[in-house]
């Protein structure tokens, strides 16, 4: 049964394949091309491009139609028919045209964009015998927002003791599509709140409020509202005007009012907005110096300083916002507390610190030089006590420094040396017993006194010695070499000139 069904359906499947083979190439060779996304600002003009291409010469276009999708239905916007011409429907008739009306180009120009123009548009070509071909695009209408900044009040008053933050400025980006992004640029330590509202026509209004605690520090500070929209940046800056009570200090007392110092004064300084209108001076101990003179914000004390000037002085400054006091405690000493220069100016702590630093630097430099000099002296002294000669036991039986001083290696030796001032024991000749091994090197010690004469044995020199023993006596007439000789640990004697070089 199944085989019979397949046999009966086979001619139908063969016919369907033939139809598909004929229709599908024609379908794929036809194309409607549009820009998928188009956007423009309200009031501007936009172009909706739409063209038709076909590789089948047998396809014939009968009509071109633009439609807008609204709530699931299609509303005709513009129609072009080769026989009937162009037809633009309401509400587009006065601001919509075909740029180049033809059967293969249905491009539209839409002028004076309105918010209601936003939506999905369909470009449709009616063809014979293949039927209708269409594509759609999305049109977005943009609206630039209206941006502005407003102060909560032209003048803000700071209240002493209150730390609550209050709104001082508002930045608004109204009726934008899409909505603008608001931020603040300022050095103030404040807080912001943001509110966004969607309007009935599809636009948005964004409001940002900046809050801060009014104070003397916030006066004359700059506050900038920044709105970023698309690729544009809007800014508006204002400078805050904050009213506050006077901030009062009393200057003039330097801690060095001493007896007979001349013509001192106290000055009342204030920082206020608006400016101070009046000053009032009082002395807390109730005693007013006889030589005190008040001139607005300054107290002058004429003549020499006396103990009567000691006390607590209070200055009260008043402006329209309020009154604030400032005070200073004055004490009088018998003599100056610090040095004075010829002009009468007092050298304060800074001068003393500078002077101490200079003294410290000088003392440190002197100590460094002294330590360096001691180190150099010790090094030189040590080098002078170090033997630097080229002494060789092979060449000198007794070294005395003559070879280094450039004198002949074998100076003449006078026999029978005697010293009339010496004792009899010292005048006796002392034999020198020097023995050599096969390598002609000293193998035994010998006895040498401080007045042993110099003698040199050169390498390779052959002399006749009796049993290799040398005996000499000092010549009383010969040169005195005692003071110039220094005995060595190995039995040799070197000259003091070579020892201390």
């Amino acid at each position: 049964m199944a085989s019979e069904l397949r046999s009966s359906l086979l001619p139908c499947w063969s016919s369907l394949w033939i139809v598909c083979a004929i229709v599908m190439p024609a379908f794929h060779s036809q194309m409607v091309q549009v820009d998928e996304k188009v956007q423009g600002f309200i009031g501007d003009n936009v172009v909706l491009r739409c063209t038709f291409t076909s590789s089948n010469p047998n396809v014939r276009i009968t009509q071109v139609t633009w439609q807008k999708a609204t709530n699931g239905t299609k509303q005709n916007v513009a129609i072009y028919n080769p026989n009937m011409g162009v037809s633009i429907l309401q509400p587009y008739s006065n601001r919509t045209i075909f740029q180049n009306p033809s059967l293969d180009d249905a491009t539209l120009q839409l002028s004076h964009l309105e918010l209601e123009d936003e939506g999905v548009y369909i470009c449709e070509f009616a063809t014979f015998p293949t039927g209708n071909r269409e594509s759609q695009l999305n049109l977005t209408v943009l609206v630039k927002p209206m941006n502005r900044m407003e102060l909560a009040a032209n003048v803000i008053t700071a209240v002493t003791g209150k730390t609550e933050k209050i709104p001082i400025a508002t930045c608004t980006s109204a009726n934008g599509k899409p909505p603008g992004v608001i931020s603040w640029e300022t050095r103030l330590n404040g807080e912001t709140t943001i509110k966004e509202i969607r309007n009935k026509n599809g636009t948005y209004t964004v409001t940002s409020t900046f809050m801060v605690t009014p104070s003397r520090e916030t006066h004359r500070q700059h506050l900038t509202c920044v709105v970023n929209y698309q690729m544009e940046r809007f800014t508006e800056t204002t400078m805050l005007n904050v009213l506050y009570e006077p901030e009062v200090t009393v200057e003039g007392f330097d801690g060095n009012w001493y007896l007979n110092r001349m013509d001192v004064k106290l000055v009342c300084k204030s920082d206020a907005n608006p400016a101070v209108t009046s000053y009032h001076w009082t002395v807390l101990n109730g005693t007013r110096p006889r030589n005190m003179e008040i001139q607005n914000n300054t107290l002058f004390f004429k003549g020499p300083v006396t103990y009567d000037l000691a006390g607590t002085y209070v200055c009260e400054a008043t402006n329209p916002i309020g009154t604030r006091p400032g005070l200073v405690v004055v004490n009088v000493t018998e003599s100056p507390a610090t040095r004075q220069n010829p002009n009468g100016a007092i050298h304060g702590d800074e001068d003393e610190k500078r002077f101490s630093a200079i003294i410290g630097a000088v003392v440190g430099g002197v100590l460094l030089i002294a330590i360096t000099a001691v180190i150099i002296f010790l090094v030189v002294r040590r080098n002078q006590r170090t033997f630097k000669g080229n002494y060789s036991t092979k060449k000198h039986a007794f070294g005395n420094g003559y070879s280094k001083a450039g004198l002949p290696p074998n100076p003449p030796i006078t026999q029978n040396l005697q010293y009339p001032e010496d004792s009899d024991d010292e005048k006796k000749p002392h034999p020198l017993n020097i023995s050599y091994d096969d390598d002609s090197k000293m193998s035994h010690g010998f006895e040498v006194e401080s007045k042993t004469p110099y003698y040199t044995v050169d390498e390779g020199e052959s002399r006749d010695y009796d049993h290799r023993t040398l005996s000499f006596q000092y010549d009383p007439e010969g040169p005195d070499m005692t003071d110039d000789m220094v005995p060595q640990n190995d039995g040799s004697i070197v000259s003091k000139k070579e020892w201390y070089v």
Side-chain angles (χ1 to χ4, degrees), residues 201-404:
N201 59 1
T203 61
Y204 296 85
T205 297
V206 182
T207 302
S208 177
T209 302
F210 190 85
M211 298 184 297
V212 71
T213 301
S215 65
R216 183 167 59 97
E217 289 73 19
T218 59
H219 178 54
R220 301 185 66 83
Q221 290 291 331
H222 290 87
L223 183 62
T224 301
C225 164
V226 180
V227 179
N228 290 291
Y229 178 80
Q230 298 294 95
M231 301 301 293
E232 298 181 359
R233 188 173 188 265
F234 165 84
T235 61
E236 185 174 346
T237 302
T238 188
M239 185 171 64
L240 301 181
N241 183 18
V242 180
L243 305 182
Y244 53 91
E245 295 177 330
E247 188 79 13
V248 184
T249 58
V250 179
E251 300 179 358
F253 178 66
D254 55 9
N256 194 38
W257 284 19
Y258 52 90
L259 293 178
N260 297 322
R261 181 177 173 180
M262 298 297 294
D263 299 331
V264 293
K265 64 181 180 179
L266 296 176
V267 180
C268 185
K269 296 291 185 69
S270 63
D271 177 16
N273 184 40
V276 172
T277 56
S278 65
Y279 295 91
H280 179 68
W281 287 94
T282 58
V283 183
L284 289 185
N285 57 15
T287 302
R288 176 173 176 173
R290 290 173 296 177
N291 60 343
M292 185 178 77
E293 180 181 334
I294 301 176
Q295 294 183 11
N296 196 16
N297 68 326
T298 305
L299 280 183
F300 292 96
F301 300 91
K302 301 297 183 180
V305 172
T306 63
Y307 285 117
D308 294 340
L309 271 62
T312 301
Y313 293 84
V314 180
C315 171
E316 290 182 335
T318 302
N319 75 342
I321 306 303
T323 300
R324 295 286 299 277
L327 61 84
V328 63
V329 178
V330 174
N331 56 73
V332 178
T333 60
E334 183 177 356
S335 59
T338 55
R339 300 178 298 107
Q340 277 188 296
N341 62 19
N343 296 327
I346 302 298
H347 294 283
D349 294 340
E350 295 298 328
D351 291 339
E352 293 180 358
K353 291 179 181 178
R354 239 183 339 270
F355 181 75
S356 300
I358 294 174
I359 294 300
V362 172
V363 172
V366 172
L367 289 176
L368 181 61
I369 295 174
I371 293 172
T372 304
V374 171
I375 293 174
I376 294 175
F377 173 78
L378 293 176
V379 172
V380 172
R381 184 69 176 172
R382 182 177 179 181
N383 291 339
Q384 288 179 346
R385 292 181 178 275
T386 304
F387 174 69
K388 296 183 180 180
N390 187 17
Y391 177 78
S392 174
T393 56
K394 288 185 178 182
K395 293 185 179 183
H396 298 86
F398 306 99
N400 61 359
Y402 280 119
S403 61
K404 187 171 184 180

Side-chain angles (χ1 to χ4, degrees), residues 387-390 401 403-404 494-501:
F387 174 69
K388 296 183 180 180
N390 187 17
S403 61
K404 187 171 184 180
V494 299
S495 170
K496 289 182 178 180
K497 295 180 181 179
E498 183 172 281
W499 175 261
Y500 290 110
V501 172

Side-chain angles (χ1 to χ4, degrees), residues 29-41:
S29 63
Q30 300 176 34
M31 183 178 296
V32 177
Q33 296 178 332
V34 297
D35 297 328
E36 293 183 0
K37 294 182 180 180
V38 178
Q39 66 180 19
F41 286 98

